[in-house]
Amino acid sequence: VALVLPAVSFSQMLLFFGIYEETLDAISTFDYVYLFPLMFGVLIGTVLLSKALSAALQSYKDQTYSFVFGFVIMSLIDILTM
């Protein structure tokens, strides 16, 4: 989601799932056993979500734009309340 939708960062997703610190540790120690499945999931998720959004834009253009705009607004609210 973080790589496809605006206003959603990869760091926010890691924080949401509670794996931000663990991922930072894995990056700093080059823990490939942890990082490869994460990277694979990011790749597959990015491809699938981009295809789903493309299909949704073709069939439900206004609703899809509203959905994406909702992410942007909620991200702004999240930033302002920090």
Side-chain angles (χ1 to χ4, degrees):
V1 172
L3 300 176
V4 178
L5 292 177
V8 179
S9 73
F10 189 66
S11 296
Q12 282 179 316
M13 294 300 292
L14 293 174
L15 285 168
F16 176 78
F17 288 114
I19 59 172
Y20 182 79
E21 293 292 331
E22 188 176 344
T23 303
L24 286 181
D25 291 338
I27 291 170
S28 66
T29 60
F30 299 107
D31 183 0
Y32 297 112
V33 174
Y34 179 88
L35 293 173
F36 279 142
L38 182 65
M39 290 186 294
F40 182 73
V42 167
L43 178 66
I44 296 299
T46 301
V47 169
L48 292 177
L49 184 61
S50 63
K51 288 183 183 240
L53 279 175
S54 178
L57 279 169
Q58 290 178 4
S59 299
Y60 307 100
K61 185 177 181 179
D62 292 338
Q63 293 89 340
T64 304
Y65 277 121
S66 296
F67 176 75
V68 172
F69 186 67
F71 271 100
V72 173
I73 293 298
M74 291 309 295
S75 179
L76 180 62
I77 291 171
D78 186 39
I79 290 169
L80 294 174
T81 59
M82 290 182 124

